[in-house]
Coordinates of all heavy atoms in Angstrom, one line a residue:
M1 N -54.1 25.3 -42.5 CA -52.7 25.1 -42.0 C -51.7 25.0 -43.1 O -50.7 25.6 -43.0 CB -52.7 23.7 -41.2 CG -51.4 23.5 -40.6 SD -51.1 24.7 -39.3 CE -49.9 23.9 -38.4
L2 N -52.1 24.4 -44.2 CA -51.2 24.3 -45.4 C -51.0 25.7 -46.0 O -49.9 26.0 -46.4 CB -51.7 23.3 -46.4 CG -50.9 23.1 -47.6 CD1 -49.5 22.6 -47.3 CD2 -51.6 22.2 -48.6
S3 N -52.1 26.5 -46.0 CA -52.0 27.8 -46.6 C -51.0 28.7 -45.8 O -50.3 29.5 -46.3 CB -53.3 28.5 -46.7 OG -53.9 28.7 -45.4
I4 N -51.0 28.5 -44.5 CA -50.1 29.3 -43.6 C -48.7 28.9 -43.9 O -47.8 29.8 -44.0 CB -50.4 29.1 -42.1 CG1 -51.8 29.7 -41.8 CG2 -49.4 29.7 -41.2 CD1 -52.3 29.4 -40.4
L5 N -48.4 27.6 -44.1 CA -47.0 27.2 -44.4 C -46.6 27.7 -45.8 O -45.4 28.1 -45.9 CB -47.0 25.7 -44.3 CG -47.1 25.0 -42.9 CD1 -47.1 23.5 -43.0 CD2 -45.9 25.5 -42.0
L6 N -47.5 27.6 -46.7 CA -47.2 28.1 -48.1 C -46.9 29.6 -48.1 O -46.0 30.1 -48.8 CB -48.3 27.8 -49.0 CG -48.4 26.3 -49.4 CD1 -49.7 26.1 -50.3 CD2 -47.2 25.7 -50.1
Q7 N -47.7 30.4 -47.3 CA -47.5 31.8 -47.2 C -46.1 32.1 -46.6 O -45.4 33.0 -47.0 CB -48.6 32.5 -46.4 CG -48.5 34.0 -46.4 CD -48.5 34.6 -47.7 OE1 -49.3 34.2 -48.6 NE2 -47.7 35.7 -47.9
A8 N -45.8 31.3 -45.5 CA -44.5 31.5 -44.9 C -43.3 31.2 -45.8 O -42.3 31.9 -45.8 CB -44.4 30.7 -43.6
A9 N -43.5 30.2 -46.6 CA -42.4 29.8 -47.6 C -42.3 30.9 -48.7 O -41.2 31.2 -49.1 CB -42.7 28.5 -48.2
A10 N -43.4 31.4 -49.1 CA -43.4 32.5 -50.1 C -42.7 33.8 -49.6 O -41.9 34.4 -50.2 CB -44.8 32.8 -50.6
D11 N -43.0 34.1 -48.3 CA -42.4 35.3 -47.7 C -40.9 35.1 -47.5 O -40.1 36.0 -47.8 CB -43.0 35.5 -46.3 CG -44.5 36.0 -46.4 OD1 -44.9 36.5 -47.5 OD2 -45.2 36.0 -45.4
A12 N -40.5 33.9 -47.2 CA -39.0 33.6 -47.0 C -38.3 33.7 -48.4 O -37.2 34.2 -48.5 CB -38.8 32.2 -46.4
A13 N -39.0 33.2 -49.4 CA -38.4 33.2 -50.8 C -38.3 34.7 -51.3 O -37.3 35.1 -51.9 CB -39.2 32.4 -51.8
T14 N -39.3 35.5 -51.0 CA -39.3 36.9 -51.3 C -38.1 37.6 -50.6 O -37.4 38.4 -51.2 CB -40.6 37.5 -51.0 OG1 -41.6 36.8 -51.7 CG2 -40.6 39.0 -51.5
A15 N -37.9 37.3 -49.3 CA -36.9 37.9 -48.6 C -35.5 37.5 -49.1 O -34.6 38.4 -49.2 CB -37.0 37.6 -47.1
K16 N -35.4 36.3 -49.5 CA -34.1 35.8 -50.0 C -33.8 36.5 -51.4 O -32.7 36.8 -51.7 CB -34.1 34.3 -50.1 CG -34.1 33.6 -48.8 CD -34.1 32.1 -48.9 CE -34.3 31.4 -47.6 NZ -33.4 31.6 -46.6
L17 N -34.8 36.6 -52.2 CA -34.7 37.2 -53.5 C -34.3 38.7 -53.3 O -33.4 39.2 -54.0 CB -35.9 37.1 -54.3 CG -35.9 37.8 -55.7 CD1 -34.9 37.1 -56.6 CD2 -37.3 37.8 -56.3
G18 N -35.0 39.4 -52.4 CA -34.7 40.8 -52.1 C -33.2 40.9 -51.6 O -32.5 41.9 -52.0
A19 N -32.8 40.0 -50.8 CA -31.4 40.1 -50.3 C -30.4 39.9 -51.4 O -29.4 40.6 -51.5 CB -31.2 39.0 -49.2
A20 N -30.7 39.0 -52.3 CA -29.8 38.8 -53.4 C -29.7 40.0 -54.4 O -28.7 40.4 -54.8 CB -30.2 37.5 -54.2
V21 N -30.9 40.6 -54.6 CA -30.9 41.8 -55.5 C -30.2 42.9 -54.8 O -29.5 43.7 -55.4 CB -32.4 42.1 -55.8 CG1 -32.5 43.5 -56.5 CG2 -33.0 41.1 -56.7
G22 N -30.4 43.1 -53.5 CA -29.8 44.1 -52.8 C -28.2 44.0 -52.8 O -27.5 45.0 -53.0
A23 N -27.7 42.8 -52.6 CA -26.3 42.6 -52.6 C -25.7 42.8 -54.0 O -24.7 43.4 -54.2 CB -26.0 41.1 -52.2
G24 N -26.5 42.4 -55.1 CA -26.1 42.7 -56.4 C -26.0 44.2 -56.8 O -25.1 44.6 -57.4
I25 N -27.0 44.9 -56.3 CA -27.0 46.3 -56.6 C -25.9 47.0 -55.9 O -25.3 48.0 -56.4 CB -28.4 46.9 -56.2 CG1 -29.5 46.5 -57.2 CG2 -28.3 48.5 -56.1 CD1 -30.9 46.9 -56.8
A26 N -25.6 46.6 -54.6 CA -24.5 47.2 -53.9 C -23.2 46.9 -54.6 O -22.3 47.8 -54.7 CB -24.4 46.6 -52.5
A27 N -23.0 45.7 -55.1 CA -21.7 45.4 -55.8 C -21.6 46.2 -57.1 O -20.5 46.7 -57.5 CB -21.6 43.9 -56.1
I28 N -22.7 46.3 -57.8 CA -22.7 47.1 -59.1 C -22.4 48.6 -58.8 O -21.6 49.2 -59.5 CB -24.0 46.9 -59.9 CG1 -24.1 45.5 -60.4 CG2 -24.1 47.9 -61.0 CD1 -25.4 45.1 -61.0
G29 N -23.1 49.1 -57.8 CA -22.8 50.5 -57.4 C -21.4 50.8 -57.0 O -20.8 51.8 -57.4
A30 N -20.8 49.9 -56.3 CA -19.4 50.0 -55.9 C -18.5 50.0 -57.1 O -17.6 50.8 -57.2 CB -19.0 49.0 -54.9
G31 N -18.8 49.1 -58.0 CA -18.0 49.0 -59.2 C -18.0 50.3 -60.1 O -17.0 50.8 -60.5
I32 N -19.2 50.8 -60.2 CA -19.4 52.1 -61.0 C -18.7 53.2 -60.2 O -18.0 54.0 -60.9 CB -20.9 52.4 -61.2 CG1 -21.5 51.3 -62.1 CG2 -21.1 53.8 -61.7 CD1 -23.0 51.4 -62.2
G33 N -18.9 53.3 -58.9 CA -18.3 54.4 -58.2 C -16.8 54.3 -58.2 O -16.1 55.4 -58.5
I34 N -16.2 53.2 -58.1 CA -14.7 53.1 -58.1 C -14.2 53.3 -59.5 O -13.1 53.9 -59.7 CB -14.3 51.7 -57.5 CG1 -14.5 51.7 -56.0 CG2 -12.8 51.5 -57.8 CD1 -14.3 50.4 -55.4
G35 N -14.9 52.9 -60.5 CA -14.6 53.2 -61.9 C -14.5 54.7 -62.2 O -13.6 55.2 -62.8
K36 N -15.5 55.4 -61.7 CA -15.6 56.9 -61.9 C -14.5 57.5 -61.1 O -13.8 58.5 -61.6 CB -16.9 57.4 -61.4 CG -18.0 57.1 -62.4 CD -19.3 57.8 -62.0 CE -20.4 57.6 -63.0 NZ -20.3 58.6 -64.1
I37 N -14.2 57.1 -59.9 CA -13.1 57.6 -59.1 C -11.7 57.4 -59.9 O -10.9 58.4 -60.0 CB -13.0 57.0 -57.7 CG1 -14.2 57.4 -56.9 CG2 -11.7 57.4 -57.0 CD1 -14.4 56.6 -55.6
G38 N -11.5 56.2 -60.3 CA -10.3 55.9 -61.0 C -10.1 56.7 -62.3 O -9.0 57.3 -62.6
G39 N -11.2 56.8 -63.1 CA -11.2 57.6 -64.3 C -10.9 59.0 -64.1 O -10.1 59.7 -64.8
S40 N -11.6 59.6 -63.1 CA -11.3 61.0 -62.8 C -9.9 61.3 -62.3 O -9.3 62.3 -62.6 CB -12.4 61.5 -61.8 OG -13.7 61.4 -62.3
A41 N -9.4 60.3 -61.5 CA -8.1 60.5 -61.0 C -7.0 60.4 -62.1 O -6.1 61.2 -62.2 CB -7.8 59.4 -59.9
M42 N -7.2 59.5 -63.1 CA -6.3 59.4 -64.2 C -6.4 60.7 -65.0 O -5.3 61.2 -65.5 CB -6.6 58.2 -65.0 CG -6.3 56.9 -64.4 SD -4.6 56.7 -63.8 CE -4.9 56.8 -62.0
E43 N -7.6 61.2 -65.2 CA -7.7 62.5 -66.0 C -7.0 63.6 -65.3 O -6.3 64.5 -65.9 CB -9.2 62.8 -66.2 CG -9.4 64.0 -67.0 CD -10.9 64.3 -67.2 OE1 -11.7 63.3 -67.1 OE2 -11.3 65.5 -67.4
A44 N -7.2 63.7 -63.9 CA -6.5 64.8 -63.2 C -5.0 64.6 -63.2 O -4.3 65.6 -63.3 CB -7.0 64.7 -61.7
I45 N -4.5 63.4 -63.1 CA -3.0 63.2 -63.2 C -2.5 63.6 -64.6 O -1.4 64.2 -64.7 CB -2.7 61.7 -62.8 CG1 -2.9 61.5 -61.3 CG2 -1.2 61.4 -63.2 CD1 -2.8 60.1 -60.9
G46 N -3.3 63.3 -65.6 CA -2.9 63.7 -66.9 C -2.9 65.2 -67.1 O -2.0 65.7 -67.8
R47 N -3.7 65.9 -66.4 CA -3.7 67.4 -66.5 C -2.6 68.0 -65.7 O -2.1 69.0 -66.1 CB -5.1 67.9 -66.0 CG -6.2 67.7 -67.0 CD -7.5 68.3 -66.5 NE -8.6 67.9 -67.4 CZ -9.7 68.5 -67.3 NH1 -10.0 69.4 -66.5 NH2 -10.7 68.1 -68.2
Q48 N -2.3 67.4 -64.5 CA -1.3 68.0 -63.6 C -0.5 66.8 -63.1 O -0.7 66.4 -61.9 CB -2.0 68.7 -62.5 CG -1.0 69.6 -61.8 CD -1.7 70.8 -61.2 OE1 -2.9 70.9 -61.1 NE2 -0.9 71.8 -60.8
P49 N 0.5 66.4 -63.8 CA 1.4 65.2 -63.4 C 2.1 65.5 -62.1 O 2.5 64.6 -61.3 CB 2.3 65.0 -64.5 CG 1.7 65.7 -65.7 CD 0.9 66.8 -65.1
A50 N 2.4 66.8 -61.8 CA 3.2 67.1 -60.6 C 2.4 66.7 -59.3 O 3.0 66.5 -58.2 CB 3.5 68.5 -60.5
A51 N 1.1 66.7 -59.4 CA 0.2 66.4 -58.2 C -0.2 65.0 -58.1 O -1.2 64.6 -57.4 CB -1.0 67.3 -58.2
A52 N 0.5 64.1 -58.8 CA 0.1 62.7 -58.9 C 0.0 62.0 -57.5 O -0.9 61.2 -57.3 CB 1.0 61.9 -59.8
G53 N 0.9 62.3 -56.6 CA 0.9 61.7 -55.3 C -0.3 62.1 -54.5 O -0.9 61.2 -53.9
D54 N -0.6 63.4 -54.5 CA -1.8 63.8 -53.8 C -3.1 63.3 -54.3 O -4.0 62.8 -53.6 CB -1.8 65.4 -53.8 CG -0.7 66.0 -53.0 OD1 -0.2 65.3 -52.1 OD2 -0.4 67.1 -53.3
I55 N -3.2 63.3 -55.7 CA -4.4 62.7 -56.3 C -4.5 61.3 -56.0 O -5.6 60.8 -55.7 CB -4.3 63.0 -57.8 CG1 -4.3 64.5 -58.1 CG2 -5.4 62.3 -58.6 CD1 -4.0 64.9 -59.5
R56 N -3.4 60.5 -56.1 CA -3.5 59.1 -55.8 C -3.9 58.8 -54.4 O -4.8 57.9 -54.2 CB -2.1 58.4 -56.1 CG -2.2 56.9 -56.1 CD -0.8 56.3 -56.4 NE -0.4 56.7 -57.7 CZ 0.8 57.4 -57.9 NH1 1.5 57.8 -56.9 NH2 1.2 57.8 -59.1
S57 N -3.4 59.5 -53.4 CA -3.8 59.3 -52.1 C -5.3 59.6 -51.8 O -6.0 58.9 -51.1 CB -2.9 60.0 -51.1 OG -3.0 61.4 -51.3
N58 N -5.7 60.7 -52.4 CA -7.2 61.1 -52.3 C -8.0 60.0 -53.0 O -9.1 59.7 -52.5 CB -7.4 62.4 -52.9 CG -6.9 63.5 -52.0 OD1 -6.8 63.4 -50.8 ND2 -6.5 64.7 -52.6
M59 N -7.6 59.5 -54.1 CA -8.3 58.5 -54.8 C -8.5 57.2 -54.0 O -9.5 56.6 -53.9 CB -7.6 58.1 -56.1 CG -8.3 57.0 -56.9 SD -7.4 56.5 -58.4 CE -6.0 55.6 -57.6
I60 N -7.4 56.8 -53.3 CA -7.4 55.6 -52.5 C -8.4 55.8 -51.3 O -9.2 54.9 -51.0 CB -6.0 55.2 -52.0 CG1 -5.2 54.7 -53.2 CG2 -6.1 54.2 -50.9 CD1 -3.7 54.6 -52.9
V61 N -8.4 57.0 -50.7 CA -9.3 57.2 -49.6 C -10.8 57.2 -50.1 O -11.7 56.6 -49.4 CB -9.0 58.6 -48.9 CG1 -10.1 59.0 -48.0 CG2 -7.7 58.6 -48.2
A62 N -11.0 57.8 -51.2 CA -12.4 57.8 -51.8 C -12.8 56.4 -52.1 O -14.0 56.0 -51.9 CB -12.5 58.7 -53.0
A63 N -12.0 55.6 -52.7 CA -12.3 54.2 -53.1 C -12.6 53.4 -51.8 O -13.5 52.6 -51.8 CB -11.2 53.6 -53.9
A64 N -11.8 53.7 -50.8 CA -12.0 52.9 -49.5 C -13.4 53.3 -48.9 O -14.1 52.4 -48.4 CB -10.9 53.2 -48.5
L65 N -13.8 54.5 -49.0 CA -15.1 54.9 -48.5 C -16.2 54.3 -49.3 O -17.2 53.8 -48.8 CB -15.3 56.4 -48.5 CG -14.4 57.2 -47.5 CD1 -14.5 58.7 -47.8 CD2 -14.8 56.8 -46.1
V66 N -16.1 54.2 -50.6 CA -17.1 53.5 -51.5 C -17.1 52.0 -51.2 O -18.2 51.5 -51.0 CB -16.8 53.8 -53.0 CG1 -17.6 52.9 -53.9 CG2 -16.9 55.2 -53.3
E67 N -16.0 51.4 -51.0 CA -16.0 50.0 -50.7 C -16.6 49.7 -49.3 O -17.3 48.7 -49.1 CB -14.5 49.5 -50.7 CG -14.0 49.2 -52.1 CD -14.7 48.0 -52.7 OE1 -15.0 47.1 -52.1 OE2 -14.8 48.1 -54.0
G68 N -16.3 50.6 -48.4 CA -16.9 50.5 -47.0 C -18.4 50.5 -47.1 O -19.1 49.7 -46.4
A69 N -19.0 51.5 -47.8 CA -20.4 51.6 -47.9 C -21.0 50.3 -48.6 O -22.1 49.8 -48.3 CB -20.8 52.8 -48.7
A70 N -20.3 49.9 -49.7 CA -20.8 48.7 -50.4 C -20.7 47.4 -49.5 O -21.6 46.6 -49.5 CB -20.0 48.4 -51.6
F71 N -19.6 47.3 -48.7 CA -19.5 46.2 -47.8 C -20.6 46.2 -46.8 O -21.2 45.2 -46.5 CB -18.1 46.2 -47.1 CG -17.8 45.1 -46.3 CD1 -17.7 43.8 -46.8 CD2 -17.7 45.2 -44.9 CE1 -17.4 42.7 -46.0 CE2 -17.5 44.1 -44.1 CZ -17.3 42.9 -44.6
F72 N -20.9 47.4 -46.3 CA -22.0 47.5 -45.3 C -23.4 47.1 -45.9 O -24.1 46.3 -45.3 CB -22.1 48.9 -44.8 CG -23.2 49.2 -43.8 CD1 -23.1 48.7 -42.5 CD2 -24.3 49.9 -44.1 CE1 -24.1 48.9 -41.5 CE2 -25.3 50.1 -43.2 CZ -25.2 49.6 -41.9
A73 N -23.6 47.5 -47.1 CA -24.9 47.1 -47.8 C -24.9 45.6 -48.1 O -26.0 45.0 -47.9 CB -25.0 47.9 -49.1
I74 N -23.8 45.0 -48.4 CA -23.8 43.6 -48.7 C -24.1 42.8 -47.4 O -24.8 41.8 -47.3 CB -22.5 43.1 -49.4 CG1 -22.6 43.7 -50.8 CG2 -22.4 41.6 -49.4 CD1 -21.2 43.5 -51.5
I75 N -23.5 43.3 -46.3 CA -23.7 42.6 -45.0 C -25.2 42.7 -44.6 O -25.7 41.7 -44.1 CB -22.8 43.2 -43.9 CG1 -21.3 42.9 -44.2 CG2 -23.1 42.8 -42.5 CD1 -21.0 41.5 -44.2
V76 N -25.7 43.9 -44.7 CA -27.2 44.1 -44.4 C -28.0 43.1 -45.3 O -29.0 42.5 -44.8 CB -27.6 45.5 -44.6 CG1 -29.1 45.7 -44.5 CG2 -26.9 46.4 -43.5
A77 N -27.7 43.0 -46.6 CA -28.4 42.1 -47.4 C -28.3 40.6 -47.0 O -29.3 39.9 -47.0 CB -28.0 42.3 -48.9
F78 N -27.1 40.2 -46.6 CA -26.9 38.9 -46.1 C -27.6 38.6 -44.8 O -28.1 37.5 -44.6 CB -25.5 38.5 -46.0 CG -24.8 38.2 -47.4 CD1 -23.5 38.6 -47.6 CD2 -25.5 37.6 -48.4 CE1 -22.9 38.4 -48.8 CE2 -24.9 37.4 -49.6 CZ -23.6 37.7 -49.8
L79 N -27.7 39.6 -43.9 CA -28.4 39.5 -42.7 C -29.9 39.3 -43.0 O -30.6 38.5 -42.3 CB -28.2 40.7 -41.8 CG -26.8 40.7 -41.1 CD1 -26.6 42.0 -40.3 CD2 -26.6 39.5 -40.2
A80 N -30.4 40.0 -44.0 CA -31.8 39.9 -44.4 C -32.0 38.5 -44.9 O -33.1 37.9 -44.7 CB -32.2 40.9 -45.4
Y81 N -31.1 38.0 -45.6 CA -31.2 36.6 -46.2 C -31.2 35.6 -45.1 O -32.0 34.6 -45.2 CB -30.0 36.4 -47.1 CG -29.9 35.0 -47.7 CD1 -30.7 34.6 -48.8 CD2 -29.1 34.0 -47.2 CE1 -30.7 33.4 -49.3 CE2 -29.0 32.7 -47.7 CZ -29.8 32.4 -48.8 OH -29.8 31.2 -49.3
V82 N -30.4 35.7 -44.1 CA -30.3 34.7 -43.0 C -31.6 34.8 -42.1 O -32.1 33.8 -41.7 CB -29.1 35.0 -42.1 CG1 -29.1 34.1 -40.9 CG2 -27.8 34.7 -43.0
M83 N -32.1 36.0 -41.9 CA -33.2 36.1 -41.0 C -34.5 35.9 -41.8 O -35.4 35.5 -41.8 CB -33.2 37.5 -40.3 CG -32.0 37.6 -39.5 SD -32.2 38.9 -38.3 CE -30.8 38.6 -37.3

C-alpha cells in the first residue's frame, strides 16, 4: 500500500516538474521569437524608412501570433500541473 502511494506521489512530482519545464520553454521561445521579429523589423526600417508603418504593423501582428502560441503552451502546461 505504501509503495502505491509513493509511486503516485512520484508521478505527481514528475508531472509538476514537466509542467514547469514546459512553461519555461514556452516563455523562452516566445522571448527569442519576439526578439528576432523586433530585430528584423528594425533592420528593415533602417533599410527602407519610407515603409516603417507597414513594417511596424506586420511586426505587431507577428508578435501577437508568437505571444498567442506561447500563451497557449503555458496554459496547457498549467493544466498539466493542476491535473
Side-chain angles (χ1 to χ4, degrees):
M1 183 67 161
L2 182 61
S3 64
I4 293 172
L5 291 174
L6 289 175
Q7 182 63 37
D11 290 343
T14 303
K16 291 180 191 298
L17 178 65
V21 169
I25 290 173
I28 290 170
I32 291 171
I34 291 175
K36 286 187 176 273
I37 290 168
S40 297
M42 293 302 110
E43 183 179 334
I45 290 171
R47 289 182 184 192
Q48 193 152 14
D54 292 335
I55 294 169
R56 188 178 303 116
S57 62
N58 287 332
M59 178 188 71
I60 290 170
V61 169
L65 291 173
V66 170
E67 282 292 325
F71 185 67
F72 180 73
I74 290 171
I75 294 298
V76 169
F78 283 145
L79 287 176
Y81 177 79
V82 171
M83 300 202 167

